[in-house]
Amino acid sequence: MFDLTDRVIIVTGGGGGIGGASAKALSKLGATVVVADIDMDRARAIAEATDRPAVAAQLDATVETSWAHLLEQVRDDHGRLDGLVNAAGVLRPRPFGDATVEELDATLNLNVRSVFMGCKAATPLMIDTSEKLGAKPSIINLSSIYGLFAGVAHVVYSTSKGAVRMMSKGLAQELARHQIRVNTVFPGPVNTWLMTNSVAQLGEFGLRPKGQEGLDLVAKMHPMGRLAEPEDIAGVITFLCSDASSFMTGGELVVDGGLTLT
């Protein structure tokens, strides 16, 4: 049920925390992973650390031609696509009074437009994979608990992640007839550079204690008493790529250690 042997899965932001952990987890279960990242050094480092041979591929997720080139490469080299994990993203907290339209545009460009372009580029090969091989391809889009709930100094980020949520639902509705599943994961704070940098920025705005004290406070806010590790999110992504979730589409999985229960 969890065997991913012979399956080909693209992970964007594959050189980062959640993307890198997902690439490694998917590889352990037999998948051929395409580690896609704008930073080739990071992509290669993750590809070399996987259990099975993985492919490092350069991708600027905000550029449509970059997506086209990646999908052409995957079609030529593998002839199939079983999964797309859209993990690339940006988080720059800022109080609304200080936020700018330029920051909004930059955030929407990476967090929303790139997901749209990626799903658009991947769908034709996924349809072929479903029709010719009887596979059930899977798209996993990374939103955030701030795509479900409001957060101080997160208006721009919440706008982008809420958009990902509804985009995923619309895609799930339209692609189901092709047996392509589309599900969304909503992580809480995860122990990655993106999160630690966010806490540091909130500290600069006087909204969180600075440094380790700020990180400790965020951890204590969780009923489980700790931050998520990238592997905690990767496990859920792996489930959504596998046949264990073969009848699940339009789903929303919150992975936050109970943070939003309180």
Side-chain angles (χ1 to χ4, degrees), residues 59-81:
L59 171 71
D60 183 341
T62 67
V63 176
E64 197 166 15
T65 54
S66 187
W67 274 108
H69 177 75
L70 175 64
L71 267 296
E72 182 181 7
Q73 177 185 335
V74 171
R75 183 183 287 274
D76 290 345
D77 293 348
H78 306 287
R80 66 185 294 163
L81 181 62

Side-chain angles (χ1 to χ4, degrees), residues 37-111:
D37 201 286
I38 196 168
D39 186 327
M40 275 299 286
D41 290 336
R42 296 200 312 173
R44 289 191 191 98
I46 294 297
E48 291 169 1
T50 57
D51 281 32
R52 291 168 48 84
V55 179
Q58 189 161 40
L59 171 71
D60 183 341
T62 67
V63 176
E64 197 166 15
T65 54
S66 187
W67 274 108
H69 177 75
L70 175 64
L71 267 296
E72 182 181 7
Q73 177 185 335
V74 171
R75 183 183 287 274
D76 290 345
D77 293 348
H78 306 287
R80 66 185 294 163
L81 181 62
D82 300 88
L84 170 63
V85 180
N86 282 306
V90 64
L91 166 58
R92 299 187 186 98
R94 188 177 296 276
F96 177 66
D98 298 327
T100 66
V101 172
E102 289 76 17
E103 288 173 326
L104 174 64
D105 288 344
T107 299
L108 293 177
N109 199 29
L110 182 53
N111 289 2

Side-chain angles (χ1 to χ4, degrees), residues 5 13 58 70 84 87 95 113 123 136 155 165 171 182 190 197 202 212 222 240 249:
T5 301
Q58 189 161 40
L70 175 64
L84 170 63
R113 290 182 73 252
T123 297
K136 302 180 183 71
V155 171
R165 180 193 187 198
L171 287 169
V182 186
V190 183
N197 185 61
L202 291 172
Q212 189 59 47
H222 293 69
L240 292 172
T249 195

Side-chain angles (χ1 to χ4, degrees), residues 2-4 22-31 33 49-52:
F2 290 94
D3 184 12
L4 299 176
S22 298
K24 292 176 185 177
L26 293 164
S27 177
K28 269 187 182 175
L29 294 177
V33 181
T50 57
D51 281 32
R52 291 168 48 84

